[in-house]
Amino acid sequence: MKAYEKNIRIVEPYVPGEQPQHKVIKLNTNENPYPPAPGVKEALEKMDADRLRLYPDPEASALTEALAKYYGVGKNQVFVGVGSDDVLSMCFLTFFNSDKPVLFPDITYSFYKVWAELYRIPYECQKLDENFRIVKEDYYKENGGVIFPNPNAPTGLYEDIRFVEDVLTHNQDVIVIVDEAYIDFAGESALKLIDRYENLIVVQTFSKARSMAGMRIGYAIASPKLIGYLNDVKYSFNSYTMNQTSLVCGAASVKDEEYFRHTVKMIVDTREWAKKQFEELGFRCLDSGANFLFVTHPEQDAKELFEALKEAGIYVRYWGSSRIEQYLRVTVGLREEMEILFRFLRNKIIN
Ligand SMILES: *Cc1c(COP(=O)(O)O)cnc(C)c1O
């Protein structure tokens, strides 16, 4: 080791799902199989490239205003970033500065641990129960903050708003972040609680239900006070996180409610149909409130299945980590893509 290496921040990075450059059936990173709303394409076509010589609006007003209007909150209650990964990372930096550990589930979005390590935030993972449910009482002890996804990933399990409120009532002295990347496929959002809990932050994204993972847009909604703290950190870091194209396309997406509802419904319908197909093949599927299914088969080794699927050009996600080594996470794609998946599985399992 070179002397200078002692002063390097060594981190174990998050490992994203593969993005193969050749054509495959891609059910591994929870992207939406439908294109973004037609208005997004129109906005892109109308964009003037000359405009790109200027810096974008540092306040990202076009987008924060569209979101504020959509959710019926003040513009000063919305914070936008480069995907919810950027927003969440900024939240860790801004709000998790206690000596006490931040609490999150042991099986969850693996980026939480990476940010905690990166920013040297103490953390403690709380074990999901044997049915992979979050045990809310585990979050009632003293802590430096709480974060969990709802629905949780990669389990897909959704907890209702009373559950979220129970966690909040027991954690009034710390910041509670609910990562709602998949909420549109599930049910009621914790946004309903924003006015009553000044310490609650709800984070959502355009990557899943809004079909815009490639655009990188995420946002937090919270009390004006917390959004103010987030903005102070952002302006100490990079004033222009949101590029001009994202601002315009994001605002266009929010304006097309009908398309949004329609595509979300199609995915939910395909998900419920796919769950039955998996079960007919002997898989156990957790109830999903997301755009993916978390599945296991009593007689099929998950890793072998993952590799066989990949060989056949069907990509799903496999971690092989403790407690979930026999599980696969399968994104809900188009009905036609799912048919190809089930044809493969039927051949493999029944023959
Ligand atoms: C996909 C995902 C995110 C990040 O999404 P972005 O593309 O960065 O907006 C955050 N949290 C969870 C739980 C996710 O699944």
Side-chain angles (χ1 to χ4, degrees):
M1 199 186 195
K2 294 267 169 68
Y4 64 74
E5 286 184 276
K6 288 202 276 293
N7 300 327
I8 290 177
R9 188 174 292 245
I10 308 285
V11 287
E12 197 182 312
Y14 172 75
V15 182
E18 269 182 270
Q19 296 292 350
Q21 295 307 305
H22 54 287
K23 202 165 160 39
V24 298
I25 294 187
K26 199 168 175 309
L27 308 174
N28 68 335
T29 54
N30 298 344
E31 287 139 330
N32 195 308
Y34 299 105
V40 173
K41 202 168 168 215
E42 258 169 59
L44 263 180
E45 281 161 2
K46 271 198 253 156
M47 272 206 65
D48 178 8
D50 289 356
R51 177 76 177 68
L52 297 180
R53 71 190 178 78
L54 301 174
Y55 279 110
D57 170 17
E59 288 178 37
S61 296
L63 184 56
T64 47
E65 274 164 21
L67 287 167
K69 187 163 167 235
Y70 183 76
Y71 290 110
V73 298
K75 196 193 155 194
N76 60 355
Q77 290 186 270
V78 183
F79 176 85
V80 294
V82 187
S84 52
D85 286 341
D86 178 45
V87 174
L88 288 164
S89 137
M90 210 85 86
C91 286
F92 270 61
L93 190 56
T94 310
F95 300 114
F96 294 160
N97 292 289
S98 169
D99 297 331
K100 289 171 204 146
V102 167
L103 308 181
F104 49 81
D106 63 337
I107 300 168
T108 195
Y109 190 40
S110 44
F111 230 138
Y112 301 159
K113 197 188 236 173
V114 175
W115 290 314
E117 299 270 356
L118 175 65
Y119 297 135
R120 298 178 183 159
I121 299 164
Y123 64 93
E124 199 181 89
C125 295
Q126 307 302 305
K127 206 164 177 230
L128 298 183
D129 72 12
E130 65 283 6
N131 299 314
F132 288 149
R133 289 260 166 206
I134 296 173
V135 182
K136 64 184 181 205
E137 291 77 12
D138 290 346
Y139 297 78
Y140 295 175
K141 59 185 157 201
E142 247 199 303
N143 64 67
V146 171
I147 178 165
F148 61 93
N150 194 32
N152 193 10
T155 64
L157 293 172
Y158 168 72
E159 302 297 347
D160 67 17
I161 198 155
R162 280 177 318 227
F163 176 104
V164 178
E165 188 157 16
D166 282 344
V167 174
L168 277 161
T169 52
H170 287 87
N171 284 284
Q172 313 252 17
D173 297 333
V174 295
I175 300 297
V176 176
I177 303 174
V178 185
D179 177 356
E180 293 190 335
Y182 302 102
I183 195 67
D184 300 300
F185 305 107
E188 215 172 9
S189 161
L191 281 171
K192 281 231 166 72
L193 304 171
I194 287 285
D195 289 340
R196 302 220 309 279
Y197 297 89
E198 198 187 71
N199 60 324
L200 166 65
I201 303 177
V202 176
V203 175
Q204 296 189 4
T205 176
F206 280 53
S207 298
K208 316 290 171 38
R210 289 199 178 273
S211 307
M212 290 172 74
M215 203 43 106
R216 312 303 301 127
I217 305 173
Y219 52 100
I221 299 184
S223 58
K225 193 165 157 185
L226 295 195
I227 296 300
Y229 287 126
L230 268 176
N231 274 316
D232 289 346
V233 168
K234 176 192 123 164
Y235 287 118
S236 314
F237 192 82
N238 176 2
S239 308
Y240 304 108
T241 52
M242 303 300 287
N243 69 64
Q244 179 64 17
T245 314
S246 296
L247 294 178
V248 170
C249 292
S253 167
V254 177
K255 281 169 193 144
D256 198 340
E257 177 67 3
E258 197 183 322
Y259 180 85
F260 176 66
R261 293 279 154 228
H262 177 66
T263 47
V264 165
K265 182 176 185 308
M266 300 230 281
I267 290 168
V268 170
D269 290 349
T270 306
R271 178 186 77 202
E272 294 311 307
W273 167 82
K275 185 166 188 271
K276 284 205 199 86
Q277 302 294 306
F278 272 121
E279 284 166 351
E280 275 171 27
L281 288 166
F283 283 88
R284 190 172 93 86
C285 273
L286 299 193
D287 285 333
S288 171
N291 66 341
F292 58 82
L293 288 160
F294 201 49
V295 306
T296 184
H297 195 287
E299 287 131 33
Q300 300 283 325
D301 182 67
K303 184 158 193 270
E304 272 172 36
L305 207 47
F306 164 76
E307 277 157 6
L309 281 163
K310 190 168 169 178
E311 192 70 34
I314 304 169
Y315 281 48
V316 301
R317 195 88 197 261
Y318 172 73
W319 285 273
S321 43
S322 161
R323 296 180 77 198
I324 58 169
E325 52 283 88
Q326 284 307 325
Y327 280 81
L328 297 175
R329 190 195 68 188
V330 182
T331 304
V332 177
L334 297 172
R335 172 85 178 224
E336 305 87 271
E337 295 175 307
M338 304 308 277
E339 306 257 15
I340 296 169
L341 165 76
F342 290 121
R343 204 174 309 137
F344 177 90
L345 291 175
R346 230 171 274 129
N347 271 327
K348 174 121 179 48
I349 291 168
I350 297 170
N351 302 338

